[in-house]
Amino acid sequence: APLRRATVASTISCTGIGMVTVCYPLLGAAYLRGPADGALLLTVLAVASLLANAVFAKKPLPWAPDRTVWLSMLLLAASCVLAAAAHDVTPLVVAAVLAGFAEGPQLTALFAIRHREAPEHVRAQVFTTAASVKITGLAAGAALAGPLAAWSLPACLLTAAGVQLVAACFSRSERHRLRTPLDLGAVAGPQRVDGRAPGQRVVGGEQPPQHLRPAEPGVREHGDGARQALDHAVLHQERGRDVQLALAPDGDQVAVAQ
């Protein structure tokens, strides 16, 4: 369920991103020097995305990747609203920067969710299939934005903002994963380690009935009893064979069972 929810939410978000990608050159033609300046807004978005991922690689966010996906969609919606209301270069650049700060961490968080939720033997298939679905959403958004932007550019951007909010609703629907990071101990069940016994391993559930310190005589690890019995049996067999060889006359052969 978390993997499916993240895939659906990211696909919807990519639909909004596709709409914004179509609008940026039109914004450059309408409010800047030309469509080429709109393409430069895409460059600003890409650089901001790269910088955001570089910063978060050094200082990871303190919450789960599910929350990062949700927040990135809200930030993308805010970027679309700002671009729709912009009539100058400064708010357009700020909108592109906000979109980049959202898109980069969103992709990284999606990778983390897929790696966490997908079984190892189908992980590659999950990654490739989810990427194909996202590209389909991106293309659908671009196709939808063409006639809508020709009719009204601000309306297209506001529609893209609404698409991002819908995606955020899908991502927000699983609340318990948004609150805390992934706890690996929750996968294996409640476990703890008894610090008073250095040789003791992880203890699950209740405490063992008795704690014996390794310094006490006669105390061994859990597997030492069976290993010690096996060592005694091998030693006893070797001693019996030595005794038989010692008692045999010179030149005689003594058959020893192996």
Side-chain angles (χ1 to χ4, degrees):
L3 181 60
R4 181 174 61 250
R5 189 172 289 112
T7 302
V8 172
S10 62
T11 303
I12 298 174
S13 179
C14 276
T15 304
I17 293 173
M19 298 177 69
V20 173
T21 304
V22 172
C23 291
Y24 273 3
L26 299 178
L27 288 172
Y31 304 114
L32 303 178
R33 293 175 300 180
D37 287 350
L40 289 177
L41 292 176
L42 293 174
T43 304
V44 172
L45 186 152
V47 172
S49 176
L50 181 63
L51 291 177
N53 277 339
V55 171
F56 293 143
K58 293 292 184 179
K59 297 181 179 180
L61 295 171
W63 49 72
D66 308 76
R67 181 182 290 271
T68 302
V69 172
W70 175 66
L71 291 175
S72 68
M73 293 169 182
L74 295 181
L75 194 58
L76 283 170
S79 171
C80 293
V81 173
L82 180 60
H87 297 284
D88 195 4
V89 60
T90 302
L92 288 176
V93 171
V94 172
V97 170
L98 289 179
F101 285 167
E103 286 189 25
Q106 182 190 94
L107 183 60
T108 304
L110 283 173
F111 285 166
I113 294 173
R114 292 172 190 168
H115 184 82
R116 181 191 68 193
E117 300 293 339
E120 185 176 359
H121 63 283
V122 295
R123 190 170 293 159
Q125 182 179 357
V126 168
F127 270 77
T128 54
T129 303
S132 301
V133 173
K134 285 184 61 178
I135 293 173
T136 303
L138 192 70
L144 177 64
L148 188 57
W151 174 67
S152 175
L153 187 56
C156 184
L157 290 168
L158 292 177
T159 303
V163 171
Q164 296 295 341
L165 293 178
V166 172
C169 291
F170 272 92
S171 179
R172 182 65 174 173
S173 58
E174 191 175 13
R175 296 179 181 274
H176 70 279
R177 289 192 178 273
L178 296 178
R179 295 179 183 275
T180 57
L182 175 65
D183 185 8
L184 295 179
V187 178
Q191 296 178 347
R192 57 186 175 183
V193 178
D194 183 17
R196 293 177 294 176
Q200 185 178 347
R201 300 187 183 275
V202 176
V203 178
E206 299 180 355
Q207 198 77 354
Q210 185 179 7
H211 294 283
L212 298 176
R213 294 187 297 272
E216 296 180 3
V219 177
R220 300 291 187 270
E221 294 286 343
H222 298 293
D224 284 352
R227 185 168 62 250
Q228 184 178 4
L230 179 62
D231 293 341
H232 284 322
V234 174
L235 181 61
H236 180 72
Q237 182 179 3
E238 292 179 353
R239 288 179 177 177
R241 184 175 59 184
D242 293 341
V243 170
Q244 291 179 4
L245 292 175
L247 294 178
D250 293 339
D252 295 340
Q253 298 293 331
V254 177
V256 180
Q258 297 295 331

